[in-house]
Amino acid sequence: MLKERVITASILAIGFLAALFLLSWMYFSAFMGAVLIVAVWEWAGLSALSSNLARGGYACLAVAVAVASGWYCAWGEDVEKLRLVFIASCTWWALALLWIQSFPSSSVIWGSIPVRLLMGVCVLVPAWLGFAYLRREPSGAWLVLFVVLIVAAADIGAYFSGRAFGKRKLAPKVSPGKSWEGVVGGAIFATIFAFSFNAIFDVGGWQSLLIVAIPTALVSVVGDLLESMVKRHRGVKDSGRILPGHGGILDRVDGLVAAIPVFTLAFMSCNWQI
């Protein structure tokens, strides 16, 4: 299993980096769109859509919403409209946190198939818009890499600090292995990474860096917990089987799809560049 995980992770990393740095922002957006369509397909399964026809129809609907959202904000050129989309997305993640905290009783609200399908659109469409907007910026490839590495650093820091110091459970009914100590450790590790990155690239002042890095690291935990909550409600371990040793695409991007809209909104507010 470990060998499978390492090989799969290496292939994913190489493929992602190649697409990120070799493709234009338009082709990279299409690449990420294809990845998120797979995630949409998996979310349809978590929402209890069993037939391929129903899941394909849901994927088409999600694509239509994504295209409509891109058209609404003029494909990133209308910054104010795009900002509204990300504010709405951040509001959605705040609501998701409340549902996570009150699980399993909150499933009365979101447990129906239509609501879970709506949740999938709220999770995945703003993430795709965030990827597209960031990649379109000057040095956009480095911006995308920065947020991906912040989420990775938060995940790594949470894992090791949770194993070493974890005593207070974060959400035992959703993910028994996560602890508050892990969350704090992940945020600290992500902050250390961000400052190290800033020492090399000089992206901005430390205040704006904290405004970007810490919320990004913290909300990535919410994304992880949300998928865990939906999987627990559905009674499955993984969102899919497409990635040997890892499960599904959603299992790998659950923290990132939550972090991207928050990072993008903070980036737009702080007005710094790499």
Side-chain angles (χ1 to χ4, degrees):
M1 180 65 72
L2 178 59
K3 183 179 179 180
E4 272 191 341
R5 289 179 66 88
V6 171
I7 292 174
T8 302
S10 300
I11 294 173
L12 289 175
I14 293 171
F16 176 77
L17 290 174
L20 179 60
F21 285 97
L22 298 180
L23 299 179
S24 67
W25 78 269
M26 291 182 65
Y27 286 111
F28 176 76
S29 299
F31 170 80
M32 290 308 303
V35 171
L36 292 178
I37 285 174
V38 179
V40 167
W41 180 273
E42 293 175 351
W43 190 279
L46 295 181
S47 301
L49 294 185
S50 55
S51 74
N52 289 339
L53 181 61
R55 294 172 77 170
Y58 175 61
C60 291
L61 175 63
V63 170
V65 173
V67 171
S69 301
W71 174 82
Y72 170 74
C73 59
W75 305 105
E77 292 184 5
D78 193 328
V79 176
E80 290 308 312
K81 287 184 177 179
L82 191 63
R83 194 190 306 272
L84 290 176
V85 172
F86 291 131
I87 289 174
S89 177
C90 292
T91 304
W92 143 249
W93 282 109
L95 175 62
L97 178 59
L98 295 178
W99 287 350
I100 292 166
Q101 290 175 328
S102 57
F103 181 79
S105 59
S106 64
S107 62
V108 174
I109 301 173
W110 57 264
S112 66
I113 292 176
V115 177
R116 272 184 284 171
L117 293 175
L118 178 61
M119 288 168 63
V121 173
C122 293
V123 167
L124 296 169
V125 170
W128 175 75
L129 286 173
F131 274 118
Y133 173 78
L134 291 174
R135 182 60 184 86
R136 191 175 183 177
E137 287 289 291
S139 301
W142 290 103
L143 275 173
V144 173
L145 182 61
F146 183 55
V147 62
V148 169
L149 292 179
I150 284 179
V151 173
D155 192 41
I156 293 169
Y159 175 78
F160 285 106
S161 58
R163 291 198 64 177
F165 309 109
K167 293 181 180 179
R168 300 171 182 83
K169 297 299 181 182
L170 177 63
K173 295 180 180 179
V174 173
S175 184
K178 287 184 171 54
S179 65
W180 282 104
E181 291 82 0
V183 172
V184 173
I188 292 173
F189 199 73
T191 302
I192 292 172
F193 163 76
F195 276 102
S196 301
F197 193 91
N198 188 45
I200 299 172
F201 292 99
D202 191 23
V203 299
W206 65 268
Q207 298 96 332
S208 62
L209 199 65
L210 288 178
I211 291 173
V212 171
I214 293 180
T216 300
L218 293 178
V219 80
S220 69
V221 180
V222 180
D224 191 339
L225 288 174
L226 179 73
E227 196 215 356
S228 296
M229 180 182 74
V230 176
K231 288 192 296 186
R232 188 167 292 273
H233 179 77
R234 180 71 172 133
V236 297
K237 181 178 181 293
D238 298 317
S239 65
R241 300 177 182 176
I242 193 172
L243 302 176
H246 289 264
I249 291 291
L250 272 173
D251 298 317
R252 298 279 59 84
V253 302
D254 50 5
L256 187 59
V257 294
I260 282 286
V262 173
F263 175 90
T264 307
L265 183 61
F267 165 77
M268 294 168 75
S269 301
C270 291
N271 194 29
W272 52 259
Q273 289 284 352
I274 292 177

